[in-house]
Amino acid sequence: VQLQASGGGLVQAGGSLRLSCAASGRTVSSYNMGWFRQAPGKEREFVAHITSSGRGTYYADSVKGRFTISRDNAKNTVYLQMNSLKPEDTAVYYCAASRILTRSISPYDYWGQGTQVTVSS
């Protein structure tokens, strides 16, 4: 499975961005999908994940109510809608696929290359 994240950019605080993660090579419809982020000098952290069916979504407390994860299995794509962005959301955002529904990094088998999100104050 190859994952390609896109949609990052520079946005002012309070603005919105929509990240996409397109999968190729094989379908990810049987995988749980997650978004993680890594800010400069910090460890990679969980942001959100979604079950293979799309019925279950889970968020880090820091983004709950502002970010929405969704998926379109017909398009083999996962999305992260980010609203009310804050400067502390600045990071490289990664999508990942896992057979296990978890916030931990290690069980994720496949990772995208990351897309930079920068939020200016």
Side-chain angles (χ1 to χ4, degrees):
V1 175
Q2 291 81 45
L3 301 176
Q4 179 74 37
S6 62
L10 173 63
V11 64
Q12 288 189 329
S16 298
L17 283 174
R18 189 194 196 202
L19 305 184
S20 298
C21 176
S24 60
R26 62 184 292 183
T27 179
V28 291
S29 61
S30 62
Y31 286 84
N32 303 298
M33 299 296 294
W35 284 97
F36 293 79
R37 66 187 181 186
Q38 187 165 17
K42 295 188 177 182
E43 294 186 351
R44 193 169 298 190
E45 64 176 7
F46 167 79
V47 174
H49 59 196
I50 187 168
T51 58
S52 56
S53 67
R55 296 191 189 99
T57 57
Y58 306 88
Y59 300 91
D61 288 344
S62 58
V63 307
K64 200 174 294 182
R66 300 187 297 121
F67 291 11
T68 302
I69 188 172
S70 62
R71 68 190 298 163
D72 185 337
N73 284 340
K75 294 183 178 179
N76 227 17
T77 301
V78 179
Y79 305 97
L80 185 68
Q81 177 66 43
M82 305 186 296
N83 299 329
S84 302
L85 282 161
K86 304 175 181 180
E88 51 264 44
D89 295 319
T90 295
V92 177
Y93 283 70
Y94 299 90
C95 59
S98 174
R99 294 288 192 185
I100 301 170
L101 188 66
T102 177
R103 300 183 179 215
S104 299
I105 292 173
S106 56
Y108 281 83
D109 301 306
Y110 304 101
W111 289 84
Q113 85 291 357
T115 184
Q116 176 71 47
V117 171
T118 303
V119 184
S120 63
S121 56

